[in-house]
Amino acid sequence: ADTISNKMKLAEEFLERGQFAEAKSLYENCLRGVHATDPLLMAGLAKAEFGLGEFAKTKAVLDQLIETNPDFKNEDCHLLYARSLDI
């Protein structure tokens, strides 16, 4: 779990720097096994997809996040979802 935590921190740094492809790669690498539906990882992947201009993929990731984590509430994800529909 420690490596997942470290990868998440690095992926968040990539997002902040606008390095969306690097962030996407890390998030995809983490979204496996017991972490396959981790809401924070999925939210990060959605942000990376959005940053890459992949709006359909952004929506698809967020749809899956909602389906697999119905109790997960995140204002950023709601905004991202709305923005991905607008474009």
Side-chain angles (χ1 to χ4, degrees), residues 1-75:
D2 185 43
T3 57
I4 289 287
S5 168
N6 290 340
K7 286 179 183 177
M8 275 185 78
K9 285 183 183 135
L10 183 57
E12 287 168 15
E13 285 179 29
F14 280 138
L15 281 181
E16 286 176 23
R17 291 186 198 148
Q19 294 173 273
F20 301 115
E22 293 85 348
K24 175 183 174 175
S25 178
L26 274 173
Y27 283 122
E28 287 178 334
N29 187 271
C30 292
L31 282 163
R32 297 197 165 130
V34 295
H35 300 286
T37 59
D38 181 291
L40 294 176
L41 291 172
M42 294 176 84
L45 177 59
K47 290 176 189 173
E49 293 285 18
F50 191 86
L52 289 167
E54 297 286 354
F55 307 117
K57 288 182 183 176
T58 302
K59 183 182 175 302
V61 170
L62 292 171
D63 281 337
Q64 186 183 7
L65 190 162
I66 293 162
E67 185 180 316
T68 55
N69 300 279
D71 297 328
F72 181 72
K73 303 291 182 241
N74 183 295
E75 196 59 40

